[in-house]
Amino acid sequence: MKKYDFIIAGGGMAGLSLAYYLSLSPLRDRSILILDKETKSRNDRTWCFWEDKDGPFESILFRKWNTVEFFGTTFNGLLDIGDYQYKMLRGIDFYAFMKNHLAQFPSIEFRQVTVNRVKDTPQGGFVIADDEPYIADFVFDSTHALKLNRPENHNLWQHFKGWTISTEKPCFDVEKPCMMDFRVDQQGDCRFLYILPFDERTALVEYTIFNNQLLSDEQYETALLTYIDRFVDTGGYSVQETEFGIIPMSDEPTNERPGKHVVRIGTAGGYTKPSTGYTFQRTQRYLQEIVQNLVAEGKPKRHKPWIRRVFKRFLDSVLLNVLEYRRHPADDIFTRLYERNPPVQIFRFLDEDTTFAEDLKIMTTVPLGAFTIAALDVFRKRIFPGLVRKPPVS
Ligand SMILES: Cc1cc2nc3c(=O)[nH]c(=O)nc-3n(C[C@H](O)[C@H](O)[C@H](O)COP(=O)(O)OP(=O)(O)OC[C@H]3O[C@@H](n4cnc5c(N)ncnc54)[C@H](O)[C@@H]3O)c2cc1C
């Protein structure tokens, strides 16, 4: 059996990004096998993220904006995002770019197979896919399905349904995407719409919820219909494309290194920011770090000061606790955050680039009572996991 240097199980966002960074590094001639059950030829998702400089996918961005709109409880308006740009990348463009780029490297192979098993062995990372065995020095696995159900943790979902609509009347301002619009019935949860305009008559309108209960298709669609009828003067519209997604918002520890030769990456590696669901940019950062360490030390590890990581994760847990136990209306929390802090600072905070002092300053702008109770509850849940009070179900 041929032994590869690297096997990438799952050639989606994280797997292809990892292959890309390897191909740009001194490891570009190493043998790499990418396994995925799909051909990745559908526009199955859209990624949005912010950046304050050009990033690796600048040439394939579908749109980018210099400002974003926000509709909250006591504050509406355009956010000054400074040097940041809000960027949108379509899945289909990302997959095509990656396939094109990686095809230049004869040492990179693709196989369309279903991965049945990934295992660490003394000889290397071992994979069974469509009953065939494969082995490599390291297996990077993004196919592992997370099971997040520990009661002492907070396990919410970010779930959303979106329509790309084409309207009769010109009704979108192409310079103004709406990042969060809370003018929808919250029903005790965190619910908002966002709008990404492509031109005056076309936009992706997405209904998003943070809670612990998925909706029926009909419920997402009713919310989209109601919002569009109420707030967008379309003159009539048709739905061109539909997007649906579920992203874990959880502080349950994930096992990023299940073995010496196996590394989980992307959502499977716990790369999602628990309190926001944003995964794209963190995955890019973490994978670049892994490749740097592979080049420098031959080991796929990530560094981060321990205390800082624990504190950031604690802040995530506190917000999740507030949301899960409905300690304060979520629309008001996000409104306060964007109204009372420079939006640039919130972006840095969500990227985990703020200092301890900056984090504390931001924390003074949230409802202190609710967040203090939540912080105490996070400790209590960790210390007495048997005494966990069930969160309300939506
Ligand atoms: C619709 C949608 C929109 C999103 N929008 C954003 C956003 O705007 N911003 C953001 O930061 N994050 C967003 N996310 C979250 C996150 O960025 C994406 O889910 C991202 O694709 C995760 O990357 P990944 O590589 O971990 O998983 P994926 O991209 O899903 O890749 C996993 C790959 O593994 C393959 N696979 C799975 N099981 C097997 C198997 N058994 N055998 C073989 N292959 C297998 C799949 O076919 C897939 O190609 C979104 C998620 C969704 C679903």
Side-chain angles (χ1 to χ4, degrees):
M1 190 191 341
K2 171 175 175 182
K3 187 171 188 192
Y4 290 89
D5 290 308
F6 308 118
I7 292 176
I8 299 179
M13 188 270 281
L16 293 174
S17 301
L18 174 63
Y20 179 72
Y21 295 124
L22 286 168
S23 78
L24 300 182
S25 81
L27 304 175
R28 68 179 67 84
D29 296 324
R30 298 292 176 88
S31 54
I32 302 175
L33 174 64
I34 304 175
L35 307 171
D36 202 294
K37 60 184 177 183
E38 292 179 7
T39 54
K40 308 308 284 179
S41 40
R42 276 187 317 117
N43 190 30
D44 60 357
R45 64 201 62 193
T46 305
W47 293 289
C48 280
F49 53 94
W50 49 80
E51 246 173 350
D52 59 357
K53 52 184 166 320
D54 283 358
F57 307 114
E58 213 59 27
S59 63
I60 52 164
L61 292 176
F62 189 63
R63 291 287 181 277
K64 57 182 173 181
W65 297 278
N66 294 317
T67 182
V68 289
E69 222 169 1
F70 180 90
F71 289 89
T73 47
T74 53
F75 158 75
N76 299 327
L78 285 176
L79 301 181
D80 175 3
I81 60 174
D83 292 337
Y84 280 92
Q85 288 186 310
Y86 197 61
K87 302 184 176 181
M88 172 183 175
L89 176 57
R90 298 191 316 162
I92 190 74
D93 299 329
F94 175 84
Y95 304 136
F97 170 82
M98 285 296 180
K99 281 186 204 164
N100 238 333
H101 171 82
L102 298 173
Q104 303 168 60
F105 299 86
S107 57
I108 302 182
E109 278 177 54
F110 281 87
R111 290 222 182 142
Q112 194 185 344
V113 286
T114 297
V115 173
N116 313 110
R117 191 159 181 209
V118 175
K119 193 179 159 217
D120 191 44
T121 72
Q123 293 75 36
F126 185 73
V127 178
I128 302 206
D130 282 355
D131 296 329
E132 287 285 324
Y134 301 91
I135 191 158
D137 285 341
F138 290 107
V139 173
F140 294 94
D141 182 14
S142 60
T143 66
H144 175 79
L146 292 174
K147 290 185 196 74
L148 301 168
N149 51 17
R150 275 180 22 182
E152 65 269 34
N153 287 98
H154 303 87
N155 289 305
L156 296 180
W157 301 104
Q158 177 178 143
H159 45 113
F160 44 89
K161 180 154 190 168
W163 286 341
T164 300
I165 59 170
S166 186
T167 63
E168 293 295 324
K169 284 193 195 168
C171 53
F172 300 113
D173 184 337
V174 286
E175 303 298 330
K176 291 184 195 165
C178 175
M179 197 174 69
M180 288 180 139
D181 186 341
F182 282 103
R183 294 173 298 172
V184 288
D185 186 1
Q186 296 293 298
Q187 300 182 37
D189 300 320
C190 176
R191 299 184 180 221
F192 60 92
L193 262 290
Y194 65 84
I195 303 184
L196 305 172
F198 305 165
D199 58 46
E200 287 182 329
R201 291 170 200 261
T202 322
L204 172 63
V205 184
E206 196 129 331
Y207 179 55
T208 306
I209 305 173
F210 301 169
N211 72 5
N212 50 15
Q213 188 77 40
L214 302 187
L215 304 188
S216 68
D217 240 14
E218 207 189 330
Q219 287 171 305
Y220 295 106
E221 287 179 5
T222 304
L224 283 165
L225 283 166
T226 311
Y227 176 87
I228 295 169
D229 278 357
R230 197 161 156 215
F231 296 113
V232 195
D233 185 14
T234 60
Y237 63 93
S238 58
V239 177
Q240 305 297 321
E241 264 185 44
T242 300
E243 176 180 88
F244 175 73
I246 306 172
I247 306 175
M249 294 177 72
S250 169
D251 58 357
E252 188 164 326
T254 48
N255 190 357
E256 203 178 328
R257 282 304 291 271
K260 193 170 163 211
H261 307 98
V262 178
V263 183
R264 291 189 186 138
I265 59 171
T267 306
Y271 289 8
T272 302
K273 169 90 174 154
S275 54
T276 63
Y278 279 107
T279 316
F280 186 85
Q281 276 298 74
R282 278 159 77 95
T283 300
Q284 304 309 319
R285 274 192 188 194
Y286 291 180
L287 293 177
Q288 288 178 38
E289 204 180 319
I290 283 180
V291 171
Q292 275 163 19
N293 285 322
L294 269 172
V295 171
E297 301 171 38
K299 289 183 189 146
K301 59 180 188 195
R302 294 200 293 114
H303 300 284
K304 206 162 188 208
W306 185 82
I307 302 244
R308 204 164 145 221
R309 190 173 61 199
V310 169
F311 183 62
K312 301 280 181 194
R313 182 52 67 102
F314 173 70
L315 293 182
D316 283 328
S317 297
V318 173
L319 178 64
L320 290 178
N321 186 285
V322 172
L323 296 179
E324 193 164 14
Y325 289 90
R326 300 178 170 184
R327 299 191 191 280
H328 191 91
D331 50 357
D332 187 53
I333 297 171
F334 285 98
T335 306
R336 289 183 191 219
L337 280 172
Y338 281 105
E339 191 178 13
R340 300 182 184 184
N341 298 282
V344 167
Q345 194 69 344
I346 297 295
F347 281 5
R348 292 184 58 241
F349 174 67
L350 297 178
D351 284 339
E352 302 187 353
D353 288 337
T354 36
T355 62
F356 181 67
E358 288 171 326
D359 288 347
L360 291 182
K361 195 163 172 224
I362 289 172
M363 282 297 114
T364 61
T365 63
V366 296
L368 281 178
F371 275 68
T372 308
I373 293 169
L376 294 173
D377 198 39
V378 170
F379 282 124
R380 193 182 58 82
K381 282 176 126 197
R382 299 285 152 79
I383 298 167
F384 306 109
L387 293 179
V388 170
R389 186 169 63 85
K390 272 194 155 207
V393 176
S394 296

